[in-house]
Amino acid sequence: MVSASMYIAQDKLTTTLDELAKKFELWVPVAAMEKQRVVRFMPYQAGMEPVLAEQSGLGPKNALLPQVETLLKFSYRKDVDDPGQKRLQLEAPEPPKQALIFGARPCDARGFLIFDQVFSHGPYVDDIYTARRETTLIATLVCLDEDAACFCSSVGSGPADMEGSDLRLTPIAGGYVVEALNDRAQPVMEVLAEPASEIQLAAARKVQEEAAQRRVGGADLTQSRASFLKRFEDMGYWREMVSQCLSCGICTYVCPTCYCFSITDEMKEDRGERIRSWDSCMFYTYTAEASGHNPRPTRLERYRNRVGHKFGYFPEKYQGMIACCGCGRCIRGCPVSIDIRRVAENLKESSDACA
Amino acid sequence: MKTSLTTELHEKIREVFTELELMIGWEAGFDALHTTPVFIRSADDVGRLTWGLLCAQNLTTYLGKDLTLMAAARESNKKIGICVKGCDSRSIVGLIQDRLIERDRLYIIGLPCQGVIDWKKVAARMPISGISSVRIAGQEVIIEGAAGERRFDLQELLARRCLRCLYPNPLISDCVVGETVAPRVKKQDVHQDVAKIEGLSLQDRLAFWQQELDRCLRCYACRNACPFCICQDRCIAETRDPKWLSQYVKLPEKFLFHFIHAMHLAGRCTECGECERVCPMDIPVTLIKEELNKITAELLDYEAGLDVNAVPPLVTFNPSETGL
């Protein structure tokens, strides 16, 4: 019988990950290079040093919604019965492996809850995402780190929020207490060797309680829909708020809740792949129409859409749920430091005054 | 960060504000380590502007990309005000050379610059959570953090681009705020970083760029932050018809994009270093442009963004040219 809570000592972390990697496709946050400190989730390889004491710059989105993934492979082959013709052959992508995301943050796990609404909960079910989601476990850290860009409590989450996670990792002195949050987590627990002691569990409880009491971020942003709709046509507002936007894709690519994609057929000679790749509503081509018309011709309409999607259209469609997990990556990563909290908070001000 | 220079900047702008359509400058950002560009359209808002060690963004990028700015200034017969550091002023010169902007539609506030801080260098040295202020005293940066005050040598925190800056003083301006600053580097040492890469064997050089560019997300922040990337929505990296680059994010796509980006800038890049600063994956992409600039200097004795009347060598043709 496996204990309900286990312990990983800091000095056993990499050997534990080595063991887990035998059973799972394992995703961990690692620094890209020693001096350049971009931490991103990568498939684990022996020798990698995970960075668990700070939030990753690029979260685990790639594990469930890869930047590029093959939807199907195709080839044209000569028809043996009718050699003048070619026949199309289709090949399904490989089924997903058992995967484990180790060291996510509550904000990272929350991002996937938003994806689930879109890809798994109907009316349209994306088989590829759903299959991968079902075979992926998420081990989430109780978050002790926050900086000026974090605002998870403003979106209805918080540093101890375990919604959407399968295992809880609680950092205590000398290591991590690991707790299964559901039955799915059992295969992970079986790999771990050391049960958590009473003292370690008590230390973990303390860390969890303290984290649960922390409020990260300012004003509540979950009820911004009505004020967004009132602001929609107020281009002066968008000009004031986001004129400095460069219309690059950083905010959308680092965002755990941005899921927009493009589908293209990439072909060479008589074979190719249909791929799904991340797209960004910040790009001109995202809404460019074949006629040449573009309904979002400038960065102002594009940024407005980003705010509208997260705080207006998404909750309208999905029972009030907003499509923002408060991780702050878009703020930290923005080359011109646009603060989406400010844009969302200020929606209210004079639109209410006008009303 | 209210310094006497910031106050002086406010005064200078207020004096001329009636002549301006708007003023592009920096204001405080989401924390004490960041500023954000701001477009000031009312004299009442001039006090929002700030100037100092954190004003990293090259604001001239808005001039060439948002053509409505110049159009509005022509319409109102006013000027676009803009704050420029030394490096940014070279971009202004380049944009005038490229005939993308009109000199007499600009009111340029030149800001002699000691360099800007790379906040990631701060983050590598102390917890950035809870930092309440950053100020400078001489060559020392004093940072008020959650656990008390920390002092650093300015040199230690400067962005790479600032460590190799030859032109800290604006080359073109209508007024200057601040004292002239001496460059930190000698002309012969400007290309030291790229010389290191040149010193590698071809194989190692390829390996270096493979390792670096492998991280690229194709977010195009480097392109969009560049004052000279003005193809905008027609960039070869994104066009669908013809479709030059696939949607894959493998090395060939990344190499093609970055090297085409750099080639388009050969002889035009003013080395403001914005492409490198904005990269979310910390890829030293300016190095590619530095190499091209080094070659341009060696072959054609030309440095971009110094003289509005000079003709950039790669946009002209001289049949008597020798040595190429």
Side-chain angles (χ1 to χ4, degrees), chain B residues 37-214:
Chain B
V38 62
F39 295 69
I40 299 289
R41 293 171 191 273
S42 150
D44 298 339
D45 289 334
V46 169
R48 287 166 62 179
L49 292 167
T50 185
W51 161 236
L53 288 177
L54 303 165
C55 298
Q57 295 95 358
N58 179 352
L59 306 173
T60 69
T61 200
Y62 298 111
L63 295 177
K65 298 201 190 205
D66 188 350
L67 301 177
T68 63
L69 290 176
M70 278 285 152
R74 271 194 299 271
E75 180 81 35
S76 62
N77 200 23
K78 287 184 172 181
K79 293 182 179 190
I80 303 290
I82 186 160
C83 295
V84 297
K85 308 183 287 287
C87 52
D88 310 335
S89 77
R90 290 181 64 193
S91 307
I92 295 244
V93 171
L95 289 167
I96 294 170
Q97 285 177 293
D98 282 0
R99 297 188 193 166
L100 289 164
I101 58 175
E102 298 152 43
R103 173 67 184 94
D104 51 11
R105 282 277 161 234
L106 295 174
Y107 187 82
I108 305 167
I109 301 202
L111 300 160
C113 174
Q114 302 195 56
V116 295
I117 287 181
D118 178 349
W119 71 270
K120 289 174 186 169
K121 290 190 177 174
V122 178
R125 285 163 177 79
M126 66 184 285
I128 57 165
S129 179
I131 288 179
S132 56
S133 80
V134 178
R135 60 187 202 279
I136 187 159
Q139 287 297 301
E140 203 175 34
V141 182
I142 304 160
I143 302 182
E144 205 73 54
E149 187 184 283
R150 290 282 304 271
R151 288 166 181 261
F152 301 94
D153 187 13
L154 173 61
Q155 187 90 1
E156 202 187 324
L157 299 182
L158 287 180
R160 188 178 74 82
R161 56 181 172 169
C162 304
L163 293 171
R164 51 180 299 279
C165 170
L166 262 187
Y167 304 97
N169 302 297
L171 301 178
I172 186 168
S173 63
D174 294 297
C175 86
V176 173
V177 174
E179 303 288 324
T180 303
V181 173
R184 289 176 185 276
V185 65
K186 292 196 186 82
K187 189 157 188 176
Q188 64 266 29
D189 297 331
V190 162
H191 291 296
Q192 268 179 348
D193 293 341
V194 83
K196 270 186 217 151
I197 313 264
E198 280 182 355
L200 300 173
S201 68
L202 276 181
Q203 212 171 11
D204 289 349
R205 226 186 286 178
L206 179 64
F208 173 83
W209 284 114
Q210 282 174 335
Q211 190 189 14
E212 292 293 334
L213 291 179
D214 183 46

Side-chain angles (χ1 to χ4, degrees), chain A residues 67 146 244 247 249 266 273 336, chain B residues 36 62 129 217 219 224 248:
Chain A
Q67 183 164 9
E146 73 179 270
Q244 73 271 47
S247 212
E266 304 293 351
E273 291 184 326
V336 292
Chain B
T36 183
Y62 298 111
S129 179
L217 295 174
C219 71
N224 291 17
Y248 288 119

Side-chain angles (χ1 to χ4, degrees), chain A residues 51-351:
Chain A
V51 180
L52 297 175
E54 63 183 89
Q55 190 200 46
S56 59
L58 191 63
K61 175 155 87 172
N62 253 313
L64 282 174
L65 188 70
Q67 183 164 9
V68 171
E69 72 179 317
T70 305
L71 301 179
L72 58 88
K73 294 181 179 184
F74 57 84
S75 57
Y76 291 93
R77 292 198 198 134
K78 197 179 272 184
D79 187 341
V80 280
D81 301 325
D82 182 4
Q85 295 294 315
K86 279 183 172 178
R87 287 183 75 160
L88 177 64
Q89 313 257 331
L90 298 178
E91 206 183 307
E94 286 182 18
K97 299 189 185 98
Q98 270 286 329
L100 170 64
I101 298 169
F102 187 92
R105 304 265 162 166
C107 46
D108 298 328
R110 195 174 186 82
F112 296 133
L113 294 177
I114 284 130
F115 287 4
D116 292 344
Q117 295 292 333
V118 180
F119 292 108
S120 296
H121 291 181
Y124 308 105
V125 175
D126 186 289
D127 293 339
I128 294 177
Y129 172 86
T130 305
R132 197 179 281 124
R133 178 67 156 136
E134 278 165 9
T135 56
T136 302
L137 298 169
I138 305 174
T140 302
L141 279 161
V142 174
C143 186
L144 308 181
D145 312 288
E146 73 179 270
D147 69 11
C150 287
F151 62 107
C152 56
S153 305
S154 301
V155 300
S157 179
D161 182 7
M162 288 294 134
E163 197 185 346
S165 301
D166 303 291
L167 297 113
R168 170 166 47 206
L169 306 173
T170 309
I172 61 168
Y176 302 88
V177 169
V178 186
E179 293 163 281
L181 300 172
N182 56 36
D183 293 342
R184 278 159 48 94
Q186 212 50 28
V188 178
M189 299 302 275
E190 283 163 12
V191 175
L192 306 179
E194 190 183 340
S197 69
E198 286 298 320
I199 295 172
Q200 286 161 345
L201 263 179
R205 290 283 164 265
K206 190 158 176 279
V207 170
Q208 290 159 13
E209 279 160 22
E210 280 171 12
Q213 276 165 21
R214 262 172 47 229
R215 198 187 144 75
V216 177
D220 179 86
L221 297 177
T222 58
Q223 308 299 325
S224 308
R225 195 181 143 241
S227 37
F228 170 76
L229 294 176
K230 274 195 228 164
R231 280 288 191 193
F232 185 84
E233 285 184 55
D234 181 1
M235 286 320 281
Y237 178 75
W238 300 103
R239 193 175 68 167
E240 166 66 22
M241 284 292 133
V242 296
S243 276
Q244 73 271 47
C245 175
L246 297 173
S247 212
C248 77
I250 292 181
C251 52
T252 51
Y253 283 5
V254 299
C255 176
T257 75
C258 273
Y259 54 80
C260 286
F261 57 81
S262 177
I263 293 180
T264 49
D265 286 350
E266 304 293 351
M267 222 182 143
K268 212 173 181 183
E269 289 164 0
D270 58 358
R271 56 184 55 242
E273 291 184 326
R274 175 160 297 174
I275 60 169
R276 164 157 68 192
S277 55
W278 292 353
D279 202 348
S280 169
C281 58
M282 294 292 118
F283 295 157
Y284 177 86
T285 47
Y286 181 87
T287 43
E289 294 172 6
S291 66
H293 172 67
N294 194 331
R296 295 184 203 143
T298 76
R299 56 196 191 276
L300 300 187
E301 293 91 3
R302 300 203 274 275
Y303 198 94
R304 177 182 67 186
N305 174 70
R306 178 171 161 79
V307 173
H309 186 187
K310 297 200 176 303
F311 299 100
Y313 321 136
F314 198 93
E316 182 178 327
K317 213 165 167 184
Y318 300 104
Q319 304 87 43
M321 184 179 199
I322 61 164
C324 174
C325 63
C327 70
R329 286 188 179 92
C330 59
I331 303 169
R332 249 174 254 119
C334 179
V336 292
S337 296
I338 293 177
D339 187 344
I340 196 165
R341 292 168 298 191
R342 182 170 164 255
V343 183
E345 265 173 55
N346 288 351
L347 287 169
K348 284 197 182 121
E349 280 178 15
S350 63
S351 65

